Amino acid sequence: MLGYKWGMPVDMSAKILVIEDDLDVRVSLVQLLQEEGFTVDAVATGPEGLYRAREWEYDLILLDLMLPELDGWGVLTKLRQQKATPVLMLTARGEVDDRVKGLNEGADDYLIKPYNERELLARIRALLRRSRGLSDDTIALGRVRVDLAAQCVYQDSEPVSLTASQYKIVAYMACRAGKVVTRTELSEEVSGDSDDTMSNVIDVQVHHIRRQLGKDFLQNRRGLGYIIPKP
């Protein structure tokens, strides 16, 4: 098998938080994003959304404006006091003043309901690329190149044979090059589970990746996790 490609593009192996009180919209968003390969958490209220956004690390937040208990403006204002996580606001309020207010308050983009799913996904991918300083869907790491759109990994321009789980690990860590990633994070990314059994599975998968791409490409930080050093 030359290179591994499955399903729809994962783009950034991203973890997305959906804050939306409408059950039908929330379920639809989660299904759409999961079908695209994203890891998704979803909540229905402003306070719960703010708590998760502060306490967990997300690559992107989809934030509804009209939320119970604490509206989208309040969530955004409080979040920006602590974190710069990219936020795409989703709202039925399409007046220019509302869009300007959202962007001025710290939103990274603004999409009016009802939205086209293709446009929503395109905006999500653009925000993820922008937040990681990428001009396209390719990450170059020395001799290794990760093509996020095609879901292939190359070394010295030759495709590398990886399983689905191994590709997810490489893509997730490549997007976070220079940062230590814990086994728990990798377990959640690969399977949505973080128990001890999955941690052992991650170690095995990492071992195979290092055999393929070299020990210097993916390094072990004992007691902490793994890291792909920036070139």
Side-chain angles (χ1 to χ4, degrees), residues 50-158:
L50 179 61
Y51 171 75
R52 283 182 172 268
R54 281 174 165 174
E55 298 299 322
W56 278 269
E57 293 300 323
Y58 291 97
D59 298 289
L60 179 72
I61 297 171
L62 300 185
L63 176 63
D64 183 39
L65 179 58
M66 306 304 292
L67 293 168
E69 302 178 48
L70 180 66
D71 65 17
W73 303 128
V75 172
L76 184 61
T77 299
K78 292 178 181 296
L79 177 64
R80 285 293 177 255
Q81 295 171 0
Q82 204 170 323
K83 284 190 172 183
T85 309
V87 173
L88 171 55
M89 297 197 79
L90 303 175
T91 178
R93 296 175 59 171
E95 291 81 2
V96 172
D97 287 346
D98 287 322
R99 297 200 299 272
V100 170
K101 180 179 179 180
L103 296 171
N104 285 340
E105 291 290 333
D108 297 272
D109 202 353
Y110 197 108
L111 193 57
I112 300 170
K113 300 177 181 177
Y115 46 78
N116 179 278
E117 290 183 351
R118 290 176 59 195
E119 180 181 5
L120 171 63
L121 291 171
R123 287 174 181 257
I124 287 172
R125 290 169 182 143
L127 285 175
L128 290 171
R129 287 195 298 269
R130 189 190 313 163
S131 69
R132 292 180 176 133
L134 302 175
S135 58
D136 55 31
D137 292 321
T138 300
I139 302 176
L141 298 164
R143 297 170 55 206
V144 176
R145 179 169 59 87
V146 183
D147 188 328
L148 298 166
Q151 297 174 19
C152 291
V153 177
Y154 300 87
Q155 187 173 51
D156 297 330
S157 300
E158 293 295 324

Side-chain angles (χ1 to χ4, degrees), residues 41 102 141 163 169 199 202:
D41 288 338
L141 298 164
T163 67
I169 291 171
S199 180
I202 293 299

